Amino acid sequence: MSIKDKVAIIGMGCTSFGEHWDKSASDLLVEAAYEALEDAGLEPRDIQAYWLGTCASGWAGISLSEPLKIQYRPVTRVENFCATGTDAFRNACYAVAAGAYDIAMAIGVEKLKDSGYSGLVITPPPGDGTAPNYSAPAAFSLLAPAYFKKYGLDPETGKLVLARIAYKNHKNGALNPKAQFRQEVPLEKILNSPIVAAPLGIMDCSGVADGAAAAIIVRSEDAKKFKKDPVYVKAISVVCGPGHGALHQDFDFTSIRETYYAGLDAYRQAGITNPRKEISMAEVHDCFTPTELVIYEDLGFSERGKAWQDVLNGVFDLDGELPVNPDGGLKSFGHPIGASGLRMLYEMYLQLRGLAGPRQIDNPKLGLTHNLGGFPWEAVCSVCIVGKETG
């Protein structure tokens, strides 16, 4: 089974991401939704069903229906860790592909900056109190020394590789008016940033932000009635793992299985056999720099043990062989959980239609987005592939 070319995106909207002290989650939802509607040339009454992705900025469909004044239409609230926005998109796509609705909206939002918490705070499920309590930087910092040791990198070289990833993403983000952080950061400053969880410095970590993004979906055969250059969905995969890494001694922290299997499923759906050559660009979940490093290998962008060389050789730069995070990634945007997946799709939507301005990649054909929520040893992962043409 595959959703390839069954549905298309005809409109998208995205707020700027940042510290929106003067805007509520409702304000952000209205801004993103109406930008998408205007882009598609539609009115609110044209949308037949909605899927709202949010981790903690709303508890039911009324979190969207009330600010948008939706007139008695179905609204489903979706939560799936950091894959929340993409999973809202997946549900909307399958509903349209199945014929349940002709026009649907997927929208994601998160309001973190004035929540009273620092970082991503998720209430854990009830337990017996014996589960280990890792911060996110501590958990993902374990990837770095494991990778360095397995593939023979000395600590200085490894640290340079991680800094080069952060440098690339901030350089791209400096070109994006919707990013939270819009300036380049010198490599030396990244290398010498204060340690958060060794070997990760503060510049190896993404920030948090407020933001919202939305997409409008129709069946592919109807897409050109609304938009001369729609973007077609080639694959959507969401994978939840069995917690293998927490239970098995062979888990070595150099690969995140959920990313690998989500990639395999998405490539099967899209008919892709050589992602390094066939994918034009990607937005991946750079919550921390070593996460992006292992994602390159788990998604087949680099051979095992070779991603660090590709980083230093500029393969994933904006003008490289396979640009990754051309919009600046989580490093430049921060991570409003429910919105991030749709924000990534927004960049692919702009790029495939030639509207990315100074970030524009030359003639892209296929774009990939990737989200990862949880820990390296137990995670939820999404991979979505979109393209400018059918076939």
Side-chain angles (χ1 to χ4, degrees):
M1 298 292 292
S2 171
I3 200 169
K4 182 180 181 182
D5 292 335
K6 289 182 169 62
V7 297
I9 305 168
I10 59 164
M12 289 203 75
C14 184
T15 69
S16 63
F17 281 28
E19 298 182 336
H20 290 301
W21 307 110
D22 59 339
K23 294 181 180 179
S24 66
S26 295
D27 294 329
L28 296 169
L29 285 167
V30 169
E31 183 179 338
Y34 274 85
E35 183 181 329
L37 288 165
E38 182 178 356
D39 183 44
L42 298 175
E43 298 292 333
R45 63 176 178 270
D46 297 321
I47 307 299
Q48 298 168 346
Y50 299 79
W51 276 262
L52 165 66
T54 187
C55 189
S57 293
W59 301 116
I62 58 174
S63 300
L64 181 68
S65 66
E66 290 185 355
L68 261 61
K69 303 305 175 200
I70 294 168
Q71 297 299 304
Y72 310 101
R73 298 290 174 90
V75 182
T76 304
R77 183 242 174 165
V78 177
E79 187 280 317
N80 209 354
F81 274 5
C82 301
T84 292
T86 302
D87 212 352
F89 179 74
R90 180 178 72 105
N91 278 269
C93 286
Y94 274 99
V96 171
Y101 305 101
D102 297 322
I103 308 174
M105 176 182 287
I107 188 166
V109 68
E110 215 70 56
K111 191 82 174 71
L112 295 172
K113 294 305 295 187
D114 48 5
S115 64
Y117 297 102
S118 176
L120 302 184
V121 178
I122 299 172
T123 304
D128 62 5
T130 61
N133 185 16
Y134 289 90
S135 69
F140 284 90
S141 73
L142 301 174
L143 300 173
Y147 187 96
F148 300 166
K149 181 178 180 181
K150 183 171 183 177
Y151 297 118
L153 280 70
D154 61 73
E156 292 74 23
T157 302
K159 186 73 172 172
L160 177 62
V161 171
L162 300 184
R164 186 65 175 73
I165 292 171
Y167 172 81
K168 165 185 68 72
N169 291 346
H170 281 293
K171 185 176 182 180
N172 294 347
L175 301 173
N176 196 327
K178 295 200 174 188
Q180 179 178 21
F181 304 113
R182 298 191 293 271
Q183 63 182 31
E184 295 187 35
V185 181
L187 195 62
E188 199 65 26
K189 185 172 184 178
I190 298 170
L191 285 166
N192 293 304
S193 64
I195 293 294
V196 173
L200 304 188
I202 194 168
M203 295 304 299
D204 290 298
C205 309
S206 65
V208 294
D210 305 328
I216 297 173
I217 300 108
V218 301
R219 280 183 292 281
S220 292
E221 59 265 31
D222 298 328
K224 290 202 173 181
K225 299 175 186 175
F226 301 94
K227 179 79 70 177
K228 67 177 181 180
D229 51 354
V231 168
Y232 297 94
V233 176
K234 304 293 182 178
I236 316 173
S237 178
V238 173
V239 163
C240 298
H244 175 276
L247 302 173
H248 293 266
Q249 291 295 320
D250 65 352
F251 183 70
D252 68 358
F253 287 89
T254 66
S255 173
I256 298 174
R257 288 172 176 241
E258 288 82 357
T259 293
Y260 174 72
Y261 284 107
L264 287 184
D265 183 38
Y267 296 148
R268 176 195 59 78
Q269 292 180 40
I272 289 172
T273 57
N274 187 343
R276 169 85 170 235
K277 298 298 182 184
E278 295 176 70
I279 296 294
S280 307
M281 57 194 170
E283 287 282 327
V284 305
H285 202 86
D286 58 316
C287 51
F288 303 95
T289 52
T291 316
E292 182 166 331
L293 181 65
V294 301
I295 288 167
Y296 294 147
E297 297 183 6
D298 286 336
L299 289 180
F301 297 166
S302 296
E303 295 179 24
R304 292 286 176 191
K306 299 294 181 63
W308 69 273
Q309 297 175 17
D310 288 338
V311 169
L312 295 179
N313 290 332
V315 169
F316 306 116
D317 291 356
L318 193 59
D319 59 354
E321 179 184 341
L322 201 175
V324 172
N325 291 333
D327 73 351
L330 274 66
K331 282 293 286 123
S332 294
F333 272 82
H335 182 28
I337 310 154
S340 287
L342 285 157
R343 182 268 300 167
M344 294 175 172
L345 276 168
Y346 180 73
E347 178 69 6
M348 299 295 96
Y349 179 76
L350 293 179
Q351 290 280 357
L352 289 166
R353 298 172 61 237
L355 300 175
R359 305 183 313 282
Q360 184 62 51
I361 294 163
D362 185 35
N363 195 30
K365 298 290 196 303
L366 292 174
L368 177 148
T369 67
H370 162 273
N371 292 109
L372 176 70
F375 295 112
W377 54 88
E378 55 178 6
V380 177
C381 181
S382 63
V383 173
C384 180
I385 301 172
V386 291
K388 68 193 301 182
E389 300 171 354
T390 57

